[in-house]
Amino acid sequence: MVNYKLLTPGPLTTTETVKREMLTDHCTWDNDYKQITQRIRKGLLELAHVSPEEYTAVLMQGSGTFGVESVLTSSVGKDDKILIIANGAYGERMEDIAKHAGLDYTIYRCHYNQTPDADAVRSIIESDPKITHAAMVHCETTSGILNDISSVAEAVKSLGRTFIVDAMSSFGGVDIPVGELGIDFIISSANKCIQGVPGFSFIICRRSALDKCEGNLKTILKPYKLRKGETKSE
């Protein structure tokens, strides 16, 4: 067995203790499985420095991009508009998701070697009252730049907008006081800084913001087209 360290932004090396735990099969209806799930969710809230009364952790069976997609397509309603703040490929991926999902959006695009400016974010939102949400990447893996989410959060929240952060390559490695910053949704992946295994992402959500998602979910999948001679019952 090859044993080497993965020194990339992610996926990171999975420890032997985690791999040993995976040798035990758990069924979803077993009490120990439920306890493990609740322990994971509680631990994620602790990493984010938030209370279970104000925030909750949602585990998603899919990649980090799937987690981002789930937040964008669930939180941005038909009467909402999102400002996407992008200075790299993963910020631009948010735009791609928004475009395919038919979301109303505008984008503040920076060069890959620059960080977004909070005053510019404030100006964009103030000039467009339709904007209800703002989303950005914390650590933009394209360049390794750690964006200043603190100043952007202050601008976004002072204007009463919902703030979404993709912290895929930073959560668990960089301390993020989620509640203090006023972040409403922060998304990351199991196989990044917390060194879990690939296969699921997670979202730490402000409960009041999550409640507003009801009825917003939209699919970006194209309708299934029947082949010649095939019926729906097949």
Side-chain angles (χ1 to χ4, degrees):
M1 174 179 172
V2 178
N3 186 15
Y4 56 88
K5 298 292 184 183
L6 298 176
L7 302 176
T8 59
L12 294 176
T13 304
T14 305
T15 62
E16 289 186 16
T17 53
V18 172
K19 290 174 180 174
R20 281 200 297 270
E21 286 295 324
M22 293 174 64
L23 295 175
T24 301
D25 292 327
H26 297 278
C27 294
T28 55
W29 51 80
D30 290 344
N31 285 329
D32 62 338
Y33 180 88
K34 296 174 185 177
Q35 291 169 4
I36 291 169
T37 302
Q38 296 307 321
R39 192 160 65 246
I40 290 171
R41 296 177 67 229
K42 180 175 181 290
L44 291 173
L45 295 183
E46 290 172 354
L47 280 175
H49 306 293
V50 293
S51 69
E53 290 75 29
E54 189 177 4
Y55 283 83
T56 188
V58 178
L59 307 183
M60 297 296 294
Q61 291 174 299
S63 66
T65 296
F66 179 72
V68 173
E69 179 186 315
S70 71
V71 172
L72 296 185
T73 56
S74 297
S75 66
V76 182
K78 60 182 178 61
D79 297 322
D80 297 328
K81 183 175 183 179
I82 185 168
L83 167 63
I84 296 169
I85 303 160
N87 65 330
Y90 289 90
E92 291 171 355
R93 183 175 290 183
M94 286 190 188
E95 180 188 21
D96 193 40
I97 291 169
K99 192 180 298 181
H100 279 80
L103 303 181
D104 189 8
Y105 77 92
T106 189
I107 185 165
Y108 164 37
R109 200 186 305 274
C110 300
H111 291 296
Y112 281 25
N113 63 347
Q114 295 178 335
T115 57
D117 180 70
D119 290 334
V121 171
R122 181 185 296 276
S123 178
I124 293 169
I125 295 175
E126 288 178 335
S127 65
D128 188 351
K130 287 185 65 180
I131 293 174
T132 55
H133 297 62
M136 69 181 297
V137 175
H138 185 203
C139 180
E140 178 51 79
T141 312
T142 314
S143 60
I145 286 178
L146 192 67
N147 288 322
D148 182 9
I149 56 172
S150 178
S151 61
V152 174
E154 185 178 357
V156 172
K157 298 309 296 181
S158 68
L159 296 171
R161 271 47 172 195
T162 298
F163 191 36
I164 300 167
V165 175
D166 172 347
M168 215 61 60
S169 298
S170 60
F171 186 84
V174 177
D175 196 40
I176 307 173
V178 174
E180 183 181 317
L181 294 179
I183 298 170
D184 297 289
F185 298 93
I186 188 164
I187 311 138
S188 193
S189 176
N191 63 307
K192 294 299 194 290
C193 293
I194 59 174
Q195 298 187 40
V197 294
F200 78 86
S201 53
F202 56 87
I203 303 101
I204 295 168
C205 322
R206 188 189 299 276
R207 288 182 179 273
S208 58
L210 183 60
D211 289 342
K212 293 178 183 177
C213 294
E214 186 174 1
N216 287 342
L217 182 61
K218 53 192 72 62
T219 178
I220 64 172
L221 298 176
K222 294 180 179 179
Y224 175 68
K225 187 176 181 181
L226 295 176
R227 291 174 298 206
K228 187 176 181 180
E230 188 178 25
T231 65
K232 286 186 178 181
S233 61
E234 296 173 339

